[in-house]
Amino acid sequence: MTGGGRRSARSRTKPSTDVNEDDDAFNKAKPISKLRRVKTKDHGTALRILNADLKIILGFGIIAALIIFFLVHHLISTAEEARRPRVVTPFPAPRIMDLPQFQGEHKESLYWGTYRPHVYFGIRARTPLSLVAGLMWLGVKDGRYFIRHICQDSDDLSTYGWTSHNGRDFGHQVLVDQDMTLATSFLKYKEDDSGYGGDWAVRINVQNQGWNDEMQKNVHLFFYLAEEDGNALSLGGDTLDIHENSLLASGLRTGIGEWQLHLKSKADLEVHYSGLRTPHIHNLSDLVQENLASQLIRFNRLQLPDIYQSSSNILVFQISGRIPLETDIVFVSGAGENSRVEERISNLAGVSLTNQLNKKQREFDVKFESCFQLADKLDSNSIHVGKAAIANMLGGIGYFYGQSKISIPKNSNVKSHDDFLLYWPAELYTAVPSRPFFPRGFLWDEGFHQLLIWRWDLHISLDIVGHWLDLINIDGWIPREQILGAEALSKVPAEFVLQHSSNGNPPTLFLVLRDLVNGIKKNKFTASESNDIISFLQQAFVRLEAWFQWFNTTQLGKDVGSYYWHGRDNLTIRELNPKTLSSGLDDYPRASHPTEDERHLDLRCWMLLAADCMNSVAELIWKENKPEKDYSSTSNLLSDFDTLNQMHFDHASGAYFDFGNHTEKVRLSWKENMIGNNYVNRELVREVLERPELKLVPHVGYVSLFPFMTRIIPSESWILEKQLDLISNRSILWTNYGLRSLAKTSSMYMKRNTEHDAPYWRGPIWMNMNYMILSSLRHYSLET
């Protein structure tokens, strides 16, 4: 377009110059007056015609140029799409997150948040390149300092987590590090003068029960700001005296405008800083530690150097003082002239902040009771645990942006210098299963998370589910583990980074969708909420269809109505039983020798849930024009009790099992290998003592209860009573704390799967499965 634009400019100026030259020559001539008047008139007419012709030609030229540009662009885009492997091609449908309900006030209200679950306390915006904030501190253990930042069990904090969090603009967290207790509070507030997303404040309160030595009487906090887009941050001053000037830092961002960060406290604080220039922030703990170590070695001072590197995009502020200590950190956006900055800072600090936090805490308590109505059912300790559960679920929601690494599909013609392809750049707003171990999105975990979150905040839940469904590729596949961005990648071992497009994950998002459809049918929602759910389902339906179809084609077994999880390793020599990571149940014992003959009971039941939910959604949103796919027929096939029993039921034990090529006579044995001349290496390797055969896999556990959980078993069947016997038998599944994942009678009970893999789904109790079992117990109790 640029080149065409320059040519058009020249074509416009050149005729104009010619006309002026003609006019000058004409004016210099001296004919008789009558003839001159005639010639002047004729020439003017010719000029107007010429100008008109030029405008028409120019207009056609511009239109033609635009048409050519768009045709070329379309051809290039089409060629690029044709070259792009299907596995990394987005699903060709309107994005769910483009719906009006996710724009405007809703989107702005969720802009800032505690969306960095992998750190003890972190703030960012829901935008790919954000201004990021966070907290570190120096913990004391055995007379030594240790930096605390990333959530990790090795820090030995006795407890940390949110005691209150509403998912939007308020949260309170308590962290106990040896004898020191930190409380962090987060508050967000929008004023007329605020920039996009509003202002926010952080209160940090530090108490200490141990006064044994001088190290425990002081605290060193490190609050930092980092610009992910690399833009420089401005320091409040070369020396920071918060009693003279509370400004720590300032800057400018598109949307939020000018911003300022202030520190307000009545405590006697010492503040130092370090300005850093780096493209990455995932290793910020190491950078701070290196700065402190250098200062200790050079000057014997445990403080940052008060040095600002040129164009620093990270500012770290060390806040030191005697315990007890309380300080407020205030971020104000839209901080230009006439924006009442001082007044807004005062409203988010000191007594005013205390009052607002107390008000938010009361609102949280009231909403908790309104949502779950537990006051008359549970004691105060149990309610306290319940509040912590919902608070940590909401406080653990994160925002991520990046590109998943996808393993190159087998038998594909894709050529790459690496062993992976990059998914398209994508954002994900999601809860996470574990802040220290799995602080990122996992597909099957998210369905369970949303069973809780939708009851608290419907629109946050829809937002999260929409983000996940927008990750579907053209084949209907969603990567099961979302490792987006450098911070997320830094927490993942290399062998788990690549996602495999042949492998699925339980479609648990249908659990929450089923709840929402049933809620509409039972008038649980307001008219506005019901409309939002229906518009969501209408936009999502084509993606849900693709997702269902992916499962119903790629995961099919050899027999009609059978399915099996892909991705098991049939060549392993180190695993006692090849893991089934795609099932979500990891090391739960399956057939000892993976083959295409397997029939996985849990996947069959998940497919029943999916088919039944798709049928319900179709009936709700397409009352007049139903889709071509008849999901009721699939649902009827998979809910057929006789077929289920023929494929998976063992009459002798009264239990349901997987089917596959199996032997029980497998063990791990130590094997010695000579390395070089002098070194012997010992490793645990798999040893098979008997030829496997096709049969039911005799391990009672969660998989056995899936027909019960999905309520396929008729209430009048004797098989239902057998399931209740299995559930209630203390020698099999029952404990005082929930049902075991695997029966004590199983040959695999609490056995390691490799030398380094402790039992995971071989006995430990999992809340999500227990919830599904309790839900079904209630269902059958109301039917009988």
Side-chain angles (χ1 to χ4, degrees):
M1 285 184 70
T2 304
R6 279 197 288 262
R7 285 194 296 271
S8 297
R10 286 196 296 270
S11 67
R12 282 197 298 270
T13 57
K14 194 168 183 178
S16 176
T17 303
D18 292 342
V19 169
N20 288 336
E21 289 173 354
D22 290 344
D23 283 347
D24 288 342
F26 182 77
N27 290 334
K28 290 176 182 177
K30 298 180 180 179
I32 58 175
S33 59
K34 184 176 181 180
L35 182 61
R36 190 171 69 185
R37 283 197 298 271
V38 173
K39 287 188 176 181
T40 303
K41 181 177 180 181
D42 290 343
H43 188 71
T45 302
L47 278 176
R48 285 194 293 272
I49 293 172
L50 179 60
N51 285 336
D53 289 343
L54 284 173
K55 289 178 181 177
I56 293 170
I57 293 169
L58 184 59
F60 277 121
I62 292 172
I63 292 171
L66 289 172
I67 291 172
I68 292 170
F69 171 79
F70 285 116
L71 283 173
V72 171
H73 178 74
H74 176 72
L75 289 171
I76 292 172
S77 299
T78 303
E80 288 177 350
E81 291 291 332
R83 289 195 302 270
R84 178 188 290 174
R86 290 183 63 87
V87 70
V88 293
T89 301
F91 188 78
R95 293 175 68 250
I96 298 173
M97 296 316 300
D98 290 337
L99 282 169
Q101 64 179 281
F102 299 123
Q103 309 306 312
E105 185 179 346
H106 168 86
K107 189 172 184 178
E108 184 177 3
S109 71
L110 295 174
Y111 185 71
W112 292 108
T114 53
Y115 301 141
R116 303 177 65 218
H118 66 293
V119 298
Y120 289 118
F121 183 82
I123 298 169
R124 68 165 295 129
R126 292 205 320 173
T127 188
L129 296 175
S130 172
L131 181 65
V132 171
L135 175 69
M136 307 180 198
W137 71 92
L138 291 183
V140 179
K141 183 180 178 182
D142 300 329
R144 297 176 60 194
Y145 286 115
F146 296 88
I147 199 155
R148 313 298 198 204
H149 181 213
I150 307 294
C151 298
Q152 49 193 9
D153 280 4
S154 59
D155 286 345
D156 287 332
L157 269 67
S158 57
T159 185
Y160 66 92
W162 299 96
T163 57
S164 307
H165 203 298
N166 65 10
R168 289 185 175 271
D169 57 13
F170 163 73
H172 180 76
Q173 183 181 213
V174 175
L175 310 98
V176 180
D177 186 1
Q178 303 301 313
D179 292 323
M180 183 168 63
T181 300
L182 291 88
T184 64
S185 298
F186 171 73
L187 181 81
K188 194 166 61 176
Y189 190 73
K190 179 74 189 295
E191 295 202 32
D192 292 339
D193 295 323
S194 301
Y196 188 83
D199 309 330
W200 48 261
V202 176
R203 170 163 290 176
I204 306 168
N205 182 284
V206 186
Q207 304 290 328
N208 203 332
Q209 303 302 318
W211 302 97
N212 298 326
D213 56 50
E214 190 65 24
M215 291 177 71
Q216 295 176 318
K217 294 180 182 180
N218 298 296
V219 64
H220 301 279
L221 307 173
F222 301 86
F223 195 86
Y224 62 86
L225 283 178
E227 272 282 16
E228 289 185 321
D229 63 6
N231 286 341
L233 301 173
S234 298
L235 189 66
D238 293 336
T239 58
L240 299 176
D241 183 349
I242 64 165
H243 298 294
E244 293 293 330
N245 182 6
S246 64
L247 180 64
L248 293 178
S250 61
L252 177 67
R253 282 188 68 87
T254 303
I256 68 173
E258 295 181 36
W259 59 264
Q260 295 179 2
L261 186 76
H262 291 259
L263 176 64
K264 306 289 284 187
S265 179
K266 294 182 178 179
D268 184 15
L269 302 179
E270 187 175 343
V271 181
H272 296 277
Y273 64 89
S274 181
L276 308 169
R277 180 73 188 173
T278 175
H280 307 295
I281 66 169
H282 65 272
N283 60 342
L284 188 53
S285 306
D286 297 334
L287 296 177
V288 172
Q289 192 162 315
E290 289 168 8
N291 265 267
L292 291 173
S294 174
Q295 288 291 100
L296 271 174
I297 293 170
R298 295 175 63 190
F299 307 110
N300 196 32
R301 292 199 298 259
L302 190 66
Q303 65 184 50
L304 293 177
D306 294 329
I307 294 175
Y308 177 89
Q309 293 181 12
S310 177
S311 301
S312 291
N313 65 315
I314 298 176
L315 289 175
V316 184
F317 300 98
Q318 179 179 353
I319 305 165
S320 304
R322 303 286 282 185
I323 302 174
L325 177 150
E326 184 172 274
T327 185
D328 299 333
I329 297 170
V330 182
F331 176 89
V332 288
S333 58
E337 294 183 9
N338 304 319
S339 59
R340 303 183 301 109
V341 170
E342 289 301 324
E343 181 183 343
R344 287 161 57 196
I345 294 170
S346 298
N347 289 339
L348 288 173
V351 175
S352 179
L353 178 59
T354 300
N355 293 336
Q356 291 189 72
L357 290 172
N358 290 339
K359 180 184 177 184
K360 288 293 182 181
Q361 181 64 58
R362 290 192 296 271
E363 290 174 355
F364 173 84
D365 294 336
V366 169
K367 183 169 182 177
F368 181 86
E369 177 57 25
S370 174
C371 287
F372 305 111
Q373 300 176 6
L374 300 176
D376 298 330
K377 302 173 185 176
L378 298 175
D379 58 48
S380 59
N381 286 336
S382 298
I383 290 175
H384 179 75
V385 171
K387 289 179 179 179
I390 185 64
N392 280 285
M393 183 67 72
L394 295 165
I397 291 175
Y399 175 90
F400 308 91
Y401 183 85
Q403 293 177 268
S404 294
K405 293 184 177 181
I406 311 300
S407 176
I408 297 176
K410 295 179 180 178
N411 304 320
S412 72
N413 297 322
V414 176
K415 295 181 180 179
S416 174
H417 297 296
D418 303 303
D419 60 348
F420 64 87
L421 298 169
L422 287 175
Y423 224 48
W424 62 88
E427 60 180 352
L428 181 63
Y429 173 63
T430 184
V432 301
S434 166
R435 289 173 66 188
F437 293 107
F438 306 111
R440 54 193 175 275
F442 283 78
L443 180 54
W444 96 294
D445 296 76
E446 204 51 39
F448 293 109
H449 296 159
Q450 296 316 308
L451 289 176
L452 185 59
I453 292 176
W454 82 256
R455 289 170 166 82
W456 179 267
D457 192 314
L458 172 66
H459 291 96
I460 284 181
S461 184
L462 290 175
D463 197 313
I464 289 174
V465 176
H467 271 89
W468 273 101
L469 294 179
D470 278 344
L471 293 172
I472 288 180
N473 75 359
I474 195 171
D475 292 322
W477 173 71
I478 306 175
R480 71 179 187 89
E481 184 175 352
Q482 294 293 321
I483 308 165
L484 304 177
E487 284 194 291
L489 186 62
S490 68
K491 297 283 286 184
V492 185
E495 63 265 31
F496 298 113
V497 169
L498 294 189
Q499 303 299 297
H500 301 272
S501 59
S502 60
N503 302 351
N505 217 203
T508 57
L509 295 181
F510 283 111
L511 289 171
V512 64
L513 297 180
R514 180 182 64 181
D515 270 9
L516 298 181
V517 170
N518 290 338
I520 289 177
K521 292 178 179 178
K522 296 177 182 178
N523 296 316
K524 288 186 177 180
F525 300 109
T526 65
S528 175
E529 289 172 335
S530 294
N531 289 336
D532 284 343
I533 294 170
I534 290 172
S535 66
F536 176 93
L537 293 174
Q538 288 172 334
Q539 187 97 328
F541 192 77
V542 65
R543 292 174 178 272
L544 294 171
E545 281 197 306
W547 195 28
F548 179 91
Q549 192 62 22
W550 181 87
F551 274 103
N552 209 33
T553 52
T554 67
Q555 310 293 295
L556 276 176
K558 285 187 174 181
D559 300 306
V560 176
S562 70
Y563 299 85
Y564 72 101
W565 296 108
H566 286 48
R568 301 188 70 207
D569 184 358
N570 59 2
L571 300 176
T572 181
I573 61 169
R574 290 182 175 82
E575 292 182 88
L576 180 62
N577 188 271
K579 290 192 293 292
T580 317
L581 294 175
S582 54
S583 73
L585 306 182
D586 295 13
D587 65 347
Y588 187 95
R590 310 279 184 167
S592 60
H593 292 67
T595 67
E596 294 182 357
D597 294 302
E598 283 190 270
R599 300 197 295 257
H600 288 144
L601 175 61
D602 53 333
L603 181 50
R604 176 192 169 95
C605 293
W606 285 123
M607 290 306 296
L608 171 59
L609 165 72
D612 189 54
C613 185
M614 287 297 293
N615 189 55
S616 297
V617 171
E619 289 179 346
L620 177 68
I621 65 176
W622 309 116
K623 294 180 180 178
E624 297 179 0
N625 300 312
K626 286 193 175 182
E628 295 179 4
K629 177 75 175 177
D630 182 12
Y631 294 97
S632 61
S633 60
T634 306
S635 177
N636 291 336
L637 170 67
L638 296 178
S639 61
D640 186 89
F641 190 50
D642 292 334
T643 304
L644 170 71
N645 291 339
Q646 290 170 17
M647 287 186 172
H648 292 284
F649 187 66
D650 177 55
H651 285 264
S653 63
Y656 289 96
F657 298 125
D658 281 344
F659 177 88
N661 198 28
H662 183 72
T663 175
E664 284 286 284
K665 294 187 177 180
V666 181
R667 67 185 183 187
L668 292 177
S669 303
W670 287 105
K671 181 180 179 181
E672 294 185 351
N673 297 312
M674 183 67 70
I675 300 177
N677 297 323
N678 305 319
Y679 181 70
V680 175
N681 177 51
R682 296 178 75 239
E683 62 176 346
L684 271 178
V685 297
R686 169 178 154 116
E687 186 178 5
V688 180
L689 306 176
E690 176 185 78
R691 187 181 182 88
E693 61 183 37
L694 291 173
K695 61 182 179 181
L696 293 173
V697 182
H699 294 281
V700 174
Y702 287 161
V703 166
S704 306
L705 296 177
F706 260 83
F708 177 79
M709 286 186 262
T710 47
R711 306 165 192 178
I712 305 174
I713 306 170
S715 57
E716 66 276 6
S717 172
W718 66 273
I719 294 177
L720 177 62
E721 187 175 349
K722 292 296 295 184
Q723 308 311 297
L724 297 177
D725 290 342
L726 292 172
I727 288 171
S728 59
N729 192 324
R730 289 182 176 272
S731 299
I732 300 177
L733 296 175
W734 183 272
T735 77
N736 291 339
Y737 310 101
L739 301 186
R740 300 179 182 93
S741 49
L742 189 64
K744 290 176 69 175
T745 53
S746 169
S747 61
M748 295 280 187
Y749 179 71
M750 294 305 289
K751 284 193 175 179
R752 303 182 74 87
N753 200 46
T754 70
E755 179 182 353
H756 306 290
D757 290 345
Y760 203 48
W761 290 86
R762 296 182 180 177
I765 298 164
W766 290 81
M767 189 178 295
N768 55 351
M769 295 291 104
N770 275 270
Y771 172 82
M772 292 180 69
I773 294 165
L774 280 169
S775 179
S776 291
L777 283 169
R778 184 175 186 274
H779 165 79
Y780 282 114
S781 73
L782 297 175
E783 277 203 347
T784 55

